[in-house]
């Protein structure tokens, strides 16, 4: 069964369809892998072995009767611990909420189940999803699997989902992204992460941080796998999800007619690790090889200002979500998350409305600038995973290149782009117009057909 640990969803679906493996044995394998590795990696907050095995057995019965629900039928997945599942604990990464039981099930979970996915457990998150490092002071920080000797940051806030996929505990997981929370852990863990346009995936039943900016997105090994999950999360039950290869032309000019803009390095506005810059150049060569037209131009806004304004809006809305209890010193909330939420208290209603107005304006600016472009290629994070001991919780450098996408209400795809001199992963992202996820996935799938970075795996056994 070891060949399945780091297999893609597409590969596992093929094995299930050919009866090379059953959903029950596959689920059992991942459950045993979680049992063995999770005490060190701390990726899963809670696991549902009995429910998962029952879902897997039902999948096998459907397949035996010729009623398989599609490519996700029988595939084990992890769900970020913000997503309600009726009758289970959804703590949202908070020690104070460790007994909070959900009375409903999130729409995203309903949809995955409708396509036959096996929900194996809930993954750890930064408390209330407010933090880019991936740290959790009270419940523990998941361990980045690429360094066996030092505890390095996993990226946040979807920290557990990033670690779980990278370490082969599940082939895919759900995350959420308000300022980079899918893309940052995808980048630091060497996997693929899709930040969807707000509203593209129904967030009902997903505990909010910023209702204006929150989005739900898949975290997987490949762009093809991300496309499978996106389809399942957006299609009506009964519609069949299929592999992204249906978009491929199977020729050297796969991206002919596609215009990819590249941010000139002199316009980064901050120091970017050399390995990240080299990774981006390598990915750019692949895009050129596939026939895309390259444009070199900086967007008409400042990354630092966009990051700051986005952070203010997150704090303002986060405060309004959590204000009834976050100030109470008797409740056990992490000090750094509490401080971030408390910062929103100082944003008046008038200032909040101004932020919403600025957000709407930036959406128009982005749409106008991107009108003749299909994607913007730039770093996902300026550097790779640092040791946990070096984290400065007062800074947000990992969000420098990610928050602007939320601020302009775009979509983005983080892709593995190589490794630094210490064999830690680096990443690039493709940012696109609102609703243009399939274009980004097409470009990402093409890049990954020409490179092998997404197939590299950490040594965790």
């Amino acid at each position: 069964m070891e060949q399945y640990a780091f297999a893609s969803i597409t590969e596992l679906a093929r094995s299930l369809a050919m009866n090379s493996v059953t959903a029950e044995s596959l689920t059992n394998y991942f459950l045993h892998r979680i049992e063995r590795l999770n005490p060190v990696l701390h990726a899963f907050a809670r696991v549902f072995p009995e429910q998962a095995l029952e879902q897997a057995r039902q999948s096998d019965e459907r397949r035996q009767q010729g009623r398989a629900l599609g490519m996700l039928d029988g595939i084990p997945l992890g769900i970020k611990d913000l997503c309600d599942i009726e009758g289970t604990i959804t703590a949202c990464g908070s020690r104070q909420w460790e007994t909070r039981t959900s009375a409903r099930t999130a729409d995203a979970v309903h949809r995955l189940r409708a396509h036959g996915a096996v929900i194996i457990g809930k993954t750890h998150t930064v408390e209330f999803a407010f933090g880019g490092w991936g740290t959790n002071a009270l419940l523990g920080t998941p361990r980045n699997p690429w360094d066996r000797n030092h505890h390095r940051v996993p990226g946040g806030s979807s920290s557990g989902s990033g670690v779980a996929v990278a370490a082969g505990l599940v082939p895919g997981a759900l995350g959420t992204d308000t300022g980079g929370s899918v893309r940052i852990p995808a980048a630091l863990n060497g996997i693929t992460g899709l930040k969807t346009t707000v509203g593209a995936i129904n967030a009902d039943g997903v505990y909010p941080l910023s209702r204006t900016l929150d989005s739900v997105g898949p975290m997987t090994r490949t762009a093809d796998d991300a496309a499978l999950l996106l389809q399942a999360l957006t299609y009506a039950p009964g519609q069949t999800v299929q592999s992204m290869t249906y978009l491929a032309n199977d020729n050297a000019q796969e991206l002919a007619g596609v215009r990819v803009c590249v941010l000139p390095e002199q316009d980064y506005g901050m120091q970017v690790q050399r390995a990240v810059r080299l990774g981006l150049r390598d990915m750019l060569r692949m895009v050129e090889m596939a026939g895309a037209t390259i444009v070199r131009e900086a967007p008409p806004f400042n990354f630092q200002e966009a990051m700051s304004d986005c952070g203010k809006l997150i704090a303002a809305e986060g405060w309004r979500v959590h204000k009834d209890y976050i100030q109470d010193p008797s409740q056990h909330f992490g000090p750094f998350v509490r401080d971030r939420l408390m910062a929103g208290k100082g944003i008046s209603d008038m200032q909040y409305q101004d932020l919403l107005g600025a957000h709407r304006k930036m959406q128009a600016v982005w749409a106008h600038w991107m009108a003749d472009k299909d994607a913007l290629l730039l770093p996902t994070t300026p550097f790779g995973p640092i040791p946990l001991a070096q984290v400065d919780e007062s800074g947000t450098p990992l969000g420098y290149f990610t928050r602007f996408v939320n601020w302009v209400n775009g979509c983005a795809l983080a892709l593995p782009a190589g490794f630094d001199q210490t064999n830690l992963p680096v990443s690039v992202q493709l940012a696109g117009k609102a609703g243009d996820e399939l274009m980004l996935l097409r470009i990402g799938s093409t890049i990954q057909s020409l490179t092998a970075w997404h197939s590299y795996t950490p040594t965790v056994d």
Side-chain angles (χ1 to χ4, degrees), residues 92-96 125-130 135-136 332-334 337:
C92 302
S94 179
R95 179 181 172 189
Q96 182 66 37
T125 174
V126 175
E127 188 171 26
F128 300 139
F130 202 172
T135 55
N136 192 310
H332 299 288
F333 298 119
V337 171

Side-chain angles (χ1 to χ4, degrees), residues 180-237:
S181 289
V182 161
R183 290 161 289 156
I184 294 171
L188 269 54
N189 288 284
I191 63 171
T192 300
L194 177 65
K195 180 259 182 259
T196 58
T197 310
V198 172
I201 296 172
N202 189 339
D204 183 48
V206 179
Y207 204 87
L209 172 59
S210 167
R211 289 184 171 89
T212 300
L213 301 172
D214 291 343
S215 62
V216 179
M219 302 173 71
T220 56
R221 301 211 164 280
T222 68
D224 287 353
D225 286 358
L228 284 174
L229 291 185
L230 176 65
Q231 291 174 72
L233 291 162
T234 54
Y235 284 11

Side-chain angles (χ1 to χ4, degrees), residues 266-416:
Q266 65 267 24
D267 292 312
Y268 283 169
M270 79 170 301
Q271 186 174 354
V272 174
Q273 184 183 12
R274 182 172 182 271
V276 176
R277 291 185 276 113
L278 292 176
L280 191 142
R281 293 173 195 171
D282 181 52
M283 297 301 233
L284 177 59
R285 283 195 296 270
M286 299 304 105
V287 172
E288 289 183 296
M289 283 176 55
T293 299
I294 305 301
V295 180
R296 298 182 185 275
E297 185 181 343
F301 52 80
N302 179 279
F303 285 102
Q304 184 65 45
E305 290 178 3
M307 182 174 73
S308 176
D309 289 341
C310 183
K312 290 175 185 176
L313 183 54
I314 296 171
E317 295 198 334
W319 162 254
R320 285 157 173 78
V321 170
H322 295 286
K323 64 181 179 179
D324 291 341
Y325 40 79
I326 199 65
Q327 300 179 91
D328 186 347
S330 69
Q331 297 204 31
H332 299 288
F333 298 119
F336 303 114
V337 171
R338 191 196 296 265
D339 288 348
R340 290 172 198 139
L341 291 169
M342 290 290 290
K345 182 179 181 181
I347 299 174
S348 68
D349 287 344
M350 182 176 293
Q351 290 171 319
Y352 173 47
Q353 291 303 318
D354 287 343
L355 284 167
L356 291 175
H359 173 52
R360 289 190 293 271
K361 178 181 178 181
M362 288 306 300
Q363 292 180 59
V365 169
W366 177 250
H368 177 75
W369 185 72
M370 285 291 292
D372 62 346
K373 305 173 185 71
D374 294 298
L376 170 64
L377 178 65
L378 72 169
T380 307
T381 59
F383 51 84
I386 65 171
L388 186 61
Q390 295 179 13
V391 168
D392 177 4
E393 291 281 2
S394 67
T396 57
L398 290 176
Y400 183 83
F401 291 115
T402 59
R403 278 191 182 179
F404 88 89
V405 181
N406 305 78
W407 187 233
V408 302
N409 191 31
C411 56
L413 180 69
L415 300 166

Side-chain angles (χ1 to χ4, degrees), residues 88-282:
T88 70
I89 292 172
T90 306
C92 302
S94 179
R95 179 181 172 189
Q96 182 66 37
W97 286 13
E98 280 191 299
T99 59
R100 177 182 175 271
T101 303
S102 299
R104 59 174 177 171
T105 296
D107 181 81
V109 176
H110 273 306
R111 287 175 181 268
L112 292 175
R113 285 176 170 172
H115 289 278
V118 174
I119 309 304
I120 210 166
K122 292 188 178 180
T123 56
H124 275 291
T125 174
V126 175
E127 188 171 26
F128 300 139
F130 202 172
W133 294 108
T135 55
N136 192 310
L138 300 184
L139 293 184
T141 299
R143 187 183 184 110
N144 193 303
W146 287 95
D147 191 338
R148 303 180 70 177
N149 300 316
H150 304 93
H151 193 161
R152 292 182 180 269
V153 293
S157 64
S158 307
S159 52
S161 289
V163 171
V165 175
L169 304 186
V170 279
L174 279 193
T176 63
D177 194 311
T178 308
S181 289
V182 161
R183 290 161 289 156
I184 294 171
L188 269 54
N189 288 284
I191 63 171
T192 300
L194 177 65
K195 180 259 182 259
T196 58
T197 310
V198 172
I201 296 172
N202 189 339
D204 183 48
V206 179
Y207 204 87
L209 172 59
S210 167
R211 289 184 171 89
T212 300
L213 301 172
D214 291 343
S215 62
V216 179
M219 302 173 71
T220 56
R221 301 211 164 280
T222 68
D224 287 353
D225 286 358
L228 284 174
L229 291 185
L230 176 65
Q231 291 174 72
L233 291 162
T234 54
Y235 284 11
Q239 287 186 279
T240 302
V241 299
Q242 54 186 330
S243 171
M244 267 291 290
T245 53
Y246 75 97
L247 291 175
N249 296 320
D250 293 325
N251 63 57
Q253 296 299 304
E254 166 74 24
L255 298 181
V258 173
R259 291 172 59 84
V260 176
C261 181
V262 181
L263 177 67
E265 290 185 9
Q266 65 267 24
D267 292 312
Y268 283 169
M270 79 170 301
Q271 186 174 354
V272 174
Q273 184 183 12
R274 182 172 182 271
V276 176
R277 291 185 276 113
L278 292 176
L280 191 142
R281 293 173 195 171
D282 181 52

Side-chain angles (χ1 to χ4, degrees), residues 2-64:
E2 294 301 317
Q3 71 270 26
Y4 297 120
F6 296 101
S8 68
I9 293 174
T10 304
E11 291 166 340
L12 293 175
R14 188 178 302 118
S15 294
L16 286 165
M18 295 175 63
N19 295 315
S20 300
V21 68
T22 65
E24 183 176 5
S25 61
L26 195 62
T27 300
N28 248 322
Y29 171 70
F30 282 111
L31 285 170
H32 289 148
R33 193 168 171 81
I34 292 168
E35 182 180 23
R36 181 162 51 87
L37 298 174
N38 198 59
V40 172
L41 295 173
H42 200 55
F44 277 89
R46 55 198 57 86
V47 182
F48 313 130
E50 294 180 4
Q51 298 95 319
L53 287 170
E54 178 57 29
Q55 292 168 29
R57 285 189 284 266
Q58 292 174 2
S59 173
D60 288 331
E61 290 177 9
R62 286 192 296 272
R63 198 172 299 279
Q64 290 169 7

